[in-house]
Amino acid sequence: MGFPSRRGTVVGFVDLGDDGRQEVILETIEEGRELVRAATVTLRGLAATTLEAERRIDGEDGSLPDGPFTAEGVECDDYDDDGSMDLLVVSFQPADDLVHVEVAAVRLTEQTTAIEVGVDSYEIDVAAAFDRWKTPLLCRSDDGFPTGVRYGANGWGRVDYGDAFASDGDIVLTAVAQVGSDGRFVAVGHEQPSPLIGEYFPTRATAWYSPNGVDWTRSSLEGEGELRDVIALPGGDGALAVGQIDRGTAAVWSSTDGEAWELVEVQPAVDGGSAGMLAITQGADGQLIVVGVETYPPDASGPGPDLDAAIWRSDDGKVWERMTSSALGAPGYQPNTDGEFNSEIVGVDYSAGAGYVAVGSASRSGDDQMDFPTQYPAVWVSGDGGSWERHALDGEFRLRGVTAVGGSLVAYGVSTLHGSPTADAVILVSGDGITWTEAAGEFDGLDQSDGVQSVNAVVEVSDTDVLALGSDDVEFEAKGAAAVWRAAHDDLDQWAREPHDDDVFEKVAESPTAVMTDGTWTGEALVVVGFSGESLTLENGAVACCVIRPAVWMWEKGATP
């Protein structure tokens, strides 16, 4: 069906609210009067994804009106069956037995200013029209991403995944990667018993996969433990995940497609300790490096537990070697005396200029001997992944990880050593992995509120932008929200807080805590995973907090902050 031109109707895109969202403007001239209507449509690159507009239909309680009715609305459809999505603006005009329907079609093209506009009209039975348009319709883009995504401003959306993560306990997602030749997403984490639902069970290692970041399916992976990180292997050769099994044995899992996982390596600690793998990376030489910690309980010879940083290395992902170095602490229990130090490594990445760089924390000589001596920020660097050097960092903060961005390294975390209820997010930048400077930015809470802000991951999302993902918690309360910061690729020393959207990130002072833990960039969209709290109403009417549920967010290319 064609769209003959009609004088008097103009459709265009403009940012009316100056908020980064594009509105569709409808200008209609009727009997000499100019009527202007605006329907808000958030653009995601080349197609409309979510439409926000009032749909008005005469009649009470949503029932079919007895007589003629009028309505206005917007929807998305391939109206002329050419394979491209069209934005339809529908206007109903009163009639006796039939409804006159007028449709203005907007062709969404690669350049949103290049628009083809057409108008068509026809008549339809009242009952059929009412049934067709009685509820609002959303718009689905050509790439399939928007189904199940609630988009807000600035390109961010929250995924409504339905019952994909149904569980009799709490679920935490810790990492995500895009793997395989078909580019599916893989998210890993763990499932733990909840005090509010289900029965007690040992913590379970878990993984899920998705073709689009919206529709998730549980992977075939069984066993006690937890997964902490996942990496896609080059050439579509599957993925590796690292974590811990059996409450104290470091472990590596392998999968070719993200659906079925195989336990390929275990690395128990010596002398009865426990070991956990926390992060994995691959260098330009193909070498795989995993970092983590080994923990040993105190014995009669020392005043407290012993924590040793741990690094494993592999050429093929199947056979792993535990590195031994004075920079890591000797394997096995050592009393916290005579210069012995505690340490752990939580993140690692590879930079062409600096080599392998790992971050974490370590105690320093002269600390009072306590059960857990104060851990200060520290970095470990290596040119070959085998020989490592440890360097202390100035400042009091806990690091969560490190990411190579171009020729620089970005370390991130929270500005506290002791779990203070009031601490800001922190980002450090380095060129060589040894000398670091603290970046400036809006790292405190929204509206200067007290609480803990933390950065948990950093992801390059384009040639120009880098995003930091984390959380913003309220002091002394189980409330908070996800938080995002942005920096220019060529200016990592300055970060700005992304405008907060309560519908996508949660309300900081009112919602159970939401936390972003990791993200992966596809070249077109960013898929972010984490978790959020969900309050339950008990049988006696009391509200209890919280069941922990997975959270998935999306940010799509083309959105303007």
Side-chain angles (χ1 to χ4, degrees), residues 70 72 242 301 381 391 402 405 407 422 470 489 493:
T70 61
E72 293 175 359
V242 298
S301 62
V381 296
H391 301 270
V402 61
V405 178
T422 56
H489 195 281
D493 292 318

Side-chain angles (χ1 to χ4, degrees), residues 78-216:
D78 183 7
Y79 193 63
D80 50 359
D81 297 322
D82 65 350
S84 297
M85 202 69 69
D86 306 310
L87 173 65
L88 303 183
V89 183
V90 183
S91 176
F92 301 96
Q93 303 298 326
D96 293 331
D97 298 321
L98 298 176
V99 175
H100 182 74
V101 181
E102 191 170 273
V103 180
V106 181
R107 179 62 41 75
L108 302 174
T109 63
E110 292 188 3
Q111 296 180 345
T112 57
T113 55
I115 308 166
E116 298 177 11
V117 179
V119 176
D120 197 8
S121 61
Y122 57 93
E123 294 183 337
I124 188 173
D125 178 81
V126 171
F130 186 82
D131 184 65
R132 173 70 174 82
W133 286 287
K134 64 183 177 182
T135 57
L137 298 176
L138 296 182
C139 189
R140 176 171 180 165
S141 72
D142 296 334
D143 60 12
F145 267 100
T147 301
V149 184
R150 291 181 288 113
Y151 279 103
N154 307 303
W156 282 98
R158 183 74 173 267
V159 174
D160 294 321
Y161 50 71
D163 59 358
F165 296 96
S167 171
D168 57 351
D170 293 337
I171 295 178
V172 173
L173 299 182
T174 56
V176 63
Q178 190 178 28
V179 307
S181 58
D182 61 354
R184 69 179 55 188
F185 299 97
V186 173
V188 301
H190 61 271
E191 190 174 23
Q192 62 195 24
S194 169
L196 297 181
I197 60 175
E199 299 178 355
Y200 174 79
F201 56 84
T203 299
R204 306 162 181 156
T206 53
W208 286 263
Y209 62 93
S210 171
N212 53 19
V214 176
D215 305 306
W216 293 87

Side-chain angles (χ1 to χ4, degrees), residues 286-434:
Q287 185 173 222
L288 293 156
I289 297 294
V290 171
V291 299
V293 63
E294 292 187 350
T295 305
Y296 302 92
D299 64 13
S301 62
D306 176 47
L307 279 71
D308 293 326
I311 297 177
W312 296 266
R313 180 174 64 173
S314 175
D315 293 327
D316 58 9
K318 299 177 181 178
V319 178
W320 293 81
E321 175 188 8
R322 166 76 153 88
M323 300 293 95
T324 57
S325 169
S326 59
L328 305 175
Y333 177 80
Q334 306 96 43
N336 298 322
T337 56
D338 300 326
E340 168 61 19
F341 62 91
N342 285 304
S343 60
E344 66 175 341
I345 302 179
V346 297
V348 64
D349 208 349
Y350 177 84
S351 166
Y356 296 96
V357 177
V359 301
S361 58
S363 60
R364 300 174 183 173
S365 59
D367 289 342
D368 294 334
Q369 298 303 316
M370 302 179 296
D371 285 348
F372 282 92
T374 299
Q375 303 285 89
Y376 294 92
V379 297
W380 289 257
V381 296
S382 174
D384 59 6
S387 176
W388 293 81
E389 296 180 354
R390 177 171 60 96
H391 301 270
L393 295 181
D394 293 331
E396 296 190 354
F397 35 77
R398 288 277 186 177
L399 296 178
R400 309 288 197 204
V402 61
T403 299
V405 178
S408 301
L409 290 152
V410 179
Y412 43 86
V414 59
S415 62
T416 179
L417 289 178
H418 308 287
S420 168
T422 56
D424 297 334
V426 65
I427 290 179
L428 309 176
V429 182
S430 175
D432 59 8
I434 299 174

Side-chain angles (χ1 to χ4, degrees), residues 240-271:
L240 292 176
V242 298
Q244 182 185 77
I245 61 171
D246 300 331
R247 302 183 183 180
T249 302
V252 181
W253 290 261
S254 174
S255 176
T256 59
D257 55 11
E259 296 184 27
W261 292 83
E262 177 186 1
L263 185 63
V264 297
E265 178 71 5
V266 294
Q267 288 280 346
V270 300
D271 292 349

